[in-house]
Amino acid sequence: MKNKLVIGAFALMLAAFIVVLSLPADTESIEAENRTAATAPPLSEETVFSGEFASGFESFIGDSVGYRSFFTQLSKQIESLEGFTPDTGSVISANKDIGTGTTQKMTLLVADGAIMEMFERNEDNERVYTEMVNHYAEKLPEDIELFNMIIPTQLEFQEPIYKNLQDSQKDAIDAIYAGLDERVTAVDAYSALEEHKDEYIYLRTDHHWTPLGAYYAYRAFMSAEGGEAADKDDFESGAIQNFLGYLYDRVNSSDFEAEPDVIEWYDVDPDEHITTVMHGLDDDGNPTTYSGTMYDRTKANYSFFFGSDHPIVEMTNEDNTGGKTIVLLKESYSNALAPWLIKSYYKVILVDPRIYKGDFEDVLSDYSPDEVMIVNYILTTNFPDYCALLTDLY
């Protein structure tokens, strides 16, 4: 009798799983996380034995089920019960996907009015990231300057009682920078952010920085580049209210709803001299172009910047036609940085290796950049598949 009950329960669960998987995918919940849905991984002997297929298939199934937002919320509630609550705050385990199609475990600290990712060093992954940057140093034409910017997260600048719960992000950044080829200029965004750590430079419910945090990193870059940075005080500011971010969706807490984040943005183009155009490839591999916007005021989340991520974003400042062109190899942190950069350049080209399907040689040919900068926040360096995407791009 017991065996029949077990078999019956298993059959019921299997039937429910098939039904849920057969329903249309909940794409809105994926878009709210500011990423694209995972695709089915290639099946081969190599991907099976390396674990790539199992990891990728798990992500694909997770993104393909109907009512995904319901199951995400249920999972969030269950995961919150697995966390522990020391005197310093709540530590919660969750899943992280930066849009490459693979998922990693991440640990969140909920403390001091913020939800913060905890960093764990992986020296093997650091070497993979360093080798990727050096790959570009080796291949890029000598007349193109190469920069690398690694951005720490907000937990790095908290009081020691919080900060010391994770590995040192500064040590990891310093180790990566120390291994870079001599032609790579390392940008010290860390010191610039640390100097202003008491300001609103990071969102409290999201893993991204604010436009103000991006501004300080922009100034650090312009100092390393030898150019002149615009003054934020020259521009009027606006605000997107009631923002609850990516990390808020990972914890089961209503505490942040009473005091949500605010995206305080700066109108860097009051005279409308800056144009924004998106480029990509259609399903048949043919080039496609569509109009874009630097600030999408219809979005009350981090997609406010450019509406979301795109294969290529081409920004042009017609007020600076004699300026340089820079290409950013980026993930979403660059979306808040680019509006500042375009004030100092003629063209800023954003290339997202997670969704761009072309060849980097084509980018170099199309735009003839003076500079290339690889921009990532620190946790991205722990994703070797992201580094592989960048390496394979060129």
Side-chain angles (χ1 to χ4, degrees), residues 267-275 316-319:
D267 186 5
V268 298
D269 188 26
D271 300 322
E272 299 184 352
H273 290 152
I274 299 171
T275 59
T316 304
N317 183 356
E318 296 295 347
D319 205 28

Side-chain angles (χ1 to χ4, degrees), residues 58 72 75-80 82-83 91-97 103-110 115-118 246-252 379 383:
E58 179 183 359
T72 299
S75 174
K76 183 172 66 174
Q77 293 176 356
I78 294 172
E79 286 171 346
S80 69
E82 297 175 351
V91 176
I92 297 172
S93 176
N95 290 326
K96 182 171 185 62
D97 179 1
T103 301
Q104 289 185 5
K105 290 294 183 182
M106 68 174 175
T107 307
L108 302 175
L109 173 65
V110 183
I115 309 168
M116 299 169 281
E117 290 178 297
M118 298 175 66
Y246 172 82
L247 298 181
Y248 167 79
D249 289 334
R250 293 295 181 273
V251 302
N252 182 33
L379 269 76
F383 277 76

Side-chain angles (χ1 to χ4, degrees), residues 369-388:
D370 303 282
E371 300 167 353
V372 170
M373 180 161 63
I374 301 171
V375 184
N376 298 114
Y377 94 116
I378 183 65
L379 269 76
T380 305
T381 67
N382 265 341
F383 277 76
D385 57 335
Y386 177 82
C387 296

Side-chain angles (χ1 to χ4, degrees), residues 4-120:
K4 290 182 178 179
L5 289 175
V6 172
I7 294 172
F10 176 77
L12 184 62
M13 291 175 60
L14 182 61
F17 175 77
I18 293 173
V19 169
V20 170
L21 191 59
S22 66
L23 294 171
D26 184 3
T27 56
E28 290 186 3
S29 69
I30 298 171
E31 291 173 357
E33 295 172 11
N34 197 36
R35 64 181 182 85
T36 56
T39 57
L43 178 60
S44 67
E45 182 178 349
E46 180 181 353
T47 60
V48 169
F49 286 101
S50 67
E52 178 184 345
F53 178 81
S55 177
F57 190 73
E58 179 183 359
S59 300
F60 168 67
I61 290 296
D63 283 359
S64 301
V65 298
Y67 298 105
R68 180 180 180 277
S69 57
F70 167 78
F71 290 108
T72 299
Q73 178 66 21
L74 179 62
S75 174
K76 183 172 66 174
Q77 293 176 356
I78 294 172
E79 286 171 346
S80 69
L81 299 176
E82 297 175 351
F84 64 93
T85 307
D87 294 338
T88 52
S90 299
V91 176
I92 297 172
S93 176
N95 290 326
K96 182 171 185 62
D97 179 1
I98 63 169
T100 59
T102 62
T103 301
Q104 289 185 5
K105 290 294 183 182
M106 68 174 175
T107 307
L108 302 175
L109 173 65
V110 183
D112 199 27
I115 309 168
M116 299 169 281
E117 290 178 297
M118 298 175 66
F119 174 69
E120 182 178 353

Side-chain angles (χ1 to χ4, degrees), residues 129 132-133 136-137 140 144-150 177 180 183-188 220-227 324-329 345 370-376:
Y129 184 88
M132 176 272 294
V133 178
Y136 278 81
L140 275 176
I144 299 178
E145 292 189 72
L146 179 60
F147 299 85
N148 183 218
M149 179 191 291
I150 301 177
Y177 281 177
L180 295 180
R183 73 164 296 193
V184 183
T185 299
V187 180
D188 185 14
F221 167 70
M222 294 310 302
S223 177
E225 194 268 351
K324 297 179 180 179
T325 295
I326 185 171
V327 171
L328 266 61
L329 289 163
Y345 284 81
D370 303 282
E371 300 167 353
V372 170
M373 180 161 63
I374 301 171
V375 184
N376 298 114

